[in-house]
Amino acid sequence: MKIVKYLWLTVLIASTSCSDDYFDVNGSETAPTTTSLAPQYRIQGAIENTTGTAQYRGMREVLGVVQYGAQNVANYDSETWSNTFTTGRYFLWQNAYVYALPNTADLIVLGKKHESPNFVAVGKILKAYILGMTTDQYGDIVIGDTYDGESSMNITPKFVTQQEAYKTIFQLLDEAIMHLDESSTITLNQENGDVLYGGNQENWKKFAYSLKARYLNHLSKKSSGDMAYNPDAIIEACNNAINSNELNAQKNYGGGEAENDNQPFSANGYGSSRFDFFSDFFVNLLKNPLNLSTPFQDPRLEIIVPEAVNGGYHGVVIGRGLAGNPADDYSLGNGGFYTSASSPTYMITYSEVKFISAEAKFRKGDKAGAYADFKEGVRADFEKLMVPSNQILDYMTMLDVEIGEDNLGLSHIFVQKYIANVLNPETWVDMRRMDYSEAIYHGLQRPENVNLDIFPNDDDWIQAMMYEYNEEDRNYVNMPDNNPYIRLTTPLWWNTAE
């Protein structure tokens, strides 16, 4: 397990100075311990490790799975679920447990020590976010035996079920919301470290409610028990959540000379090589997102996707690679709205909140409310991408003419959410909840060169990630079955009906 191999590094990474290290945001000539720095000096590191390590790496693992981006070679492992993809040699697990979660643990401890529950709240919100991404990729995860900034570290941690993980996530978010109403001795942005919300505690509460709505919405296949799907609870959380693009939870980049000042998936970012081209599926979806008999091209296509050198907008088929064709025939992954040097990393947005609310109202039977939220979600994404107002008006009119309240379906909601959530690992949750349905995501096909040994049938799709091989080496007694024939094909707890 990476957390075991590097466990002694956890405190070191979180507490010592290393000027050349991307994740060193707490540099000090005196090399302070985790408890000698006040929380205002740690909040920036907690935020940047959440997005720059955990979320980036989580998205990198599933970029081809959700078919946003494609590689220039055929049979690339993460696109066809083969080769090294079956040995757990990718690192959301490491990045979550070694880099990101320890920073949140220290923030919680320091917030308590300095009588500043607002920092405790931020630590719990970020912890819930990281745990959510991790359990949504792996299923059962480690929670109680991880580094907590206080207790001795356990080198053979036990796992909890995904159901228990979700209960912890909701508890963390509820506690954080309460903490944000308590008085604190130190303001969140006292040292300009709150690079997410500039110290605005009400906005942090909205972020927490947004995450609560997201995770409650994942339970759409649960119909009984204390974790049964509850559309009213989702709608209530959405009503308290992010309510404008100005409040989107996003980590901004300056696009400067430093690599860590660039969007990771941009040309100068540290993950640029993982996003060679946009995929054929994504480009074609934008060319006819409403699935009309006479295609109506989405104006966001030319904003998100760079034009190919040889003209036009063309994606690479997942698993096929360039197949001998010139690279200049295809649209590069770097350089669009989400993949330029100064593009933000979006954690959750106003548009996603509205699509969550639209789904909940649709499932509840409130078609009028669902359609209103659906349209607002689309409008919010158009405005986020700064689409000209006349084009927004035309698109809204097109929605009324071609869809309207009476014809609204889940496909409309999920396609628009897919377009709005580019480079967010949340998309993989949606695609699995919808069983990778071509009726929902029109044009969706399995990759070429898919691993037929593990996925022999046409309706076999990848369901979860392998635990890292280091976990298996050091903690095999506690970890779930890591056989790729089981791990990669077994739906997660929230994706099973009960």
Side-chain angles (χ1 to χ4, degrees):
M1 174 182 180
K2 293 275 184 178
I3 189 173
V4 177
K5 181 177 180 181
Y6 297 103
L7 215 41
W8 65 272
L9 282 174
T10 302
V11 176
L12 191 64
I13 290 168
S15 63
T16 62
S17 170
C18 178
S19 60
D20 293 328
D21 194 319
Y22 170 76
F23 300 110
D24 174 33
V25 295
N26 305 308
S28 170
E29 294 178 1
T30 58
T33 66
T34 56
T35 56
S36 67
L37 280 175
Q40 65 266 32
Y41 299 102
R42 298 297 304 278
I43 185 173
Q44 183 175 350
I47 294 169
E48 292 185 347
N49 274 274
T50 299
T51 56
T53 59
Q55 181 168 335
Y56 154 68
R57 200 64 187 242
M59 188 62 237
R60 168 178 157 173
E61 290 176 11
V62 301
L63 185 65
V65 174
V66 298
Q67 301 199 16
Y68 283 133
Q71 291 286 321
N72 60 5
V73 294
N75 196 26
Y76 190 73
D77 51 10
S78 64
E79 295 180 1
T80 56
W81 325 325
S82 57
N83 302 327
T84 58
F85 211 58
T86 64
T87 63
R89 296 176 184 271
Y90 29 86
F91 305 108
L92 170 60
W93 192 262
Q94 173 190 332
N95 284 14
Y97 285 106
V98 177
Y99 298 104
L101 284 169
N103 278 273
T104 67
D106 287 343
L107 200 60
I108 292 169
V109 170
L110 290 166
K112 294 176 182 177
K113 177 182 177 181
H114 291 268
E115 299 180 345
S116 298
N118 50 354
F119 285 95
V120 176
V122 170
K124 289 184 176 183
I125 293 169
L126 296 177
K127 182 178 181 179
Y129 187 79
I130 299 163
L131 290 176
M133 286 191 295
T134 306
T135 188
D136 287 341
Q137 292 215 12
Y138 298 100
D140 296 356
I141 60 172
V142 175
I143 292 184
D145 289 341
T146 58
Y147 170 79
D148 64 5
E150 297 175 307
S151 307
S152 298
M153 292 178 287
N154 187 344
I155 63 173
T156 56
K158 294 182 179 179
F159 284 66
V160 302
T161 66
Q162 185 171 65
Q163 183 174 3
E164 293 172 313
Y166 263 62
K167 289 180 179 179
T168 298
I169 289 167
F170 294 132
Q171 179 181 346
L172 288 168
L173 293 172
D174 286 340
E175 290 174 352
I177 291 167
M178 290 190 295
H179 290 321
L180 287 166
D181 285 331
E182 299 170 10
S183 60
S184 298
T185 60
I186 306 171
T187 60
L188 289 177
N189 206 37
Q190 184 161 310
E191 294 295 329
N192 298 316
D194 183 2
V195 293
L196 209 60
Y197 284 121
N200 190 312
Q201 294 184 192
E202 288 301 312
N203 291 347
W204 276 101
K205 286 171 66 174
K206 287 182 170 60
F207 180 28
Y209 276 114
S210 301
L211 295 179
K212 186 174 182 178
R214 172 190 279 181
Y215 294 117
L216 285 170
N217 199 44
H218 290 178
L219 307 178
S220 55
K221 291 185 179 179
K222 301 300 180 185
S223 57
S224 61
D226 59 349
M227 300 287 276
Y229 182 76
N230 185 343
D232 288 326
I234 296 168
I235 295 165
E236 180 182 1
C238 287
N239 289 340
N240 291 300
I242 293 168
N243 56 9
S244 72
N245 278 326
E246 287 70 29
L247 302 185
N248 288 341
Q250 61 187 69
K251 168 61 179 70
N252 295 318
Y253 296 91
E257 292 184 7
E259 185 180 52
N260 65 315
D261 193 33
N262 288 263
Q263 159 60 233
F265 289 105
S266 68
N268 295 324
Y270 47 83
S272 59
S273 63
R274 302 295 176 173
F275 198 162
D276 290 340
F277 300 94
F278 277 93
S279 79
D280 178 72
F281 168 71
F282 182 58
V283 171
N284 287 340
L285 192 70
L286 282 167
K287 289 181 177 179
N288 189 19
L290 305 183
N291 200 23
L292 304 177
S293 55
T294 301
F296 179 80
Q297 181 171 299
D298 197 303
R300 290 171 291 185
L301 171 64
E302 299 180 10
I303 298 173
I304 299 172
V305 180
E307 185 175 9
V309 173
N310 290 337
Y313 298 86
H314 308 285
V316 171
V317 175
I318 296 294
R320 179 190 297 177
L322 296 178
N325 297 320
D328 289 348
D329 285 350
Y330 299 99
S331 296
L332 289 173
N334 311 129
F337 180 87
Y338 294 97
T339 55
S340 293
S342 58
S343 299
T345 290
Y346 292 97
M347 302 171 78
I348 191 167
T349 63
Y350 175 45
S351 58
E352 182 184 338
V353 169
K354 298 311 293 184
F355 291 131
I356 291 171
S357 182
E359 180 186 347
K361 290 178 181 178
F362 182 88
R363 294 184 184 277
K364 184 181 177 182
D366 178 7
K367 292 289 290 289
Y371 186 65
D373 284 344
F374 164 74
K375 285 190 65 178
E376 182 60 18
V378 175
R379 182 188 302 277
D381 191 55
F382 270 65
E383 291 176 349
K384 181 186 75 179
L385 271 65
M386 297 175 286
V387 176
S389 58
N390 64 312
Q391 294 184 20
I392 297 177
L393 179 60
D394 289 345
Y395 203 88
M396 294 298 110
T397 301
M398 179 68 72
L399 293 180
D400 289 336
V401 171
E402 298 294 342
I403 301 175
E405 176 184 322
D406 292 338
N407 295 320
L408 179 69
L410 286 176
S411 177
H412 300 116
I413 296 171
F414 278 92
V415 165
Q416 291 296 331
K417 189 179 179 186
Y418 178 89
I419 296 170
N421 271 6
V422 174
L423 294 184
N424 195 313
E426 176 66 10
T427 293
W428 194 30
V429 176
D430 283 346
M431 296 186 91
R432 286 174 290 173
R433 284 200 300 126
M434 293 296 102
D435 302 314
Y436 293 97
S437 171
E438 202 271 339
I440 297 293
Y441 299 100
H442 50 271
L444 180 65
Q445 299 291 325
R446 290 204 312 171
E448 292 192 7
N449 296 307
V450 71
N451 185 347
L452 295 177
D453 185 38
I454 298 179
F455 305 93
N457 304 307
D458 290 342
D459 59 351
D460 291 338
W461 290 80
I462 186 169
Q463 299 293 337
M465 291 294 174
M466 297 281 295
Y467 294 108
E468 287 192 22
Y469 64 97
N470 281 1
E471 177 77 32
E472 190 166 15
D473 288 345
R474 293 170 175 83
N475 197 29
Y476 64 90
V477 173
N478 290 318
M479 68 178 294
D481 192 337
N482 208 33
N483 182 328
Y485 290 86
I486 303 298
R487 288 292 309 149
L488 299 177
T489 62
T490 302
L492 300 186
W493 164 77
W494 48 248
N495 206 28
T496 57
E498 65 178 35

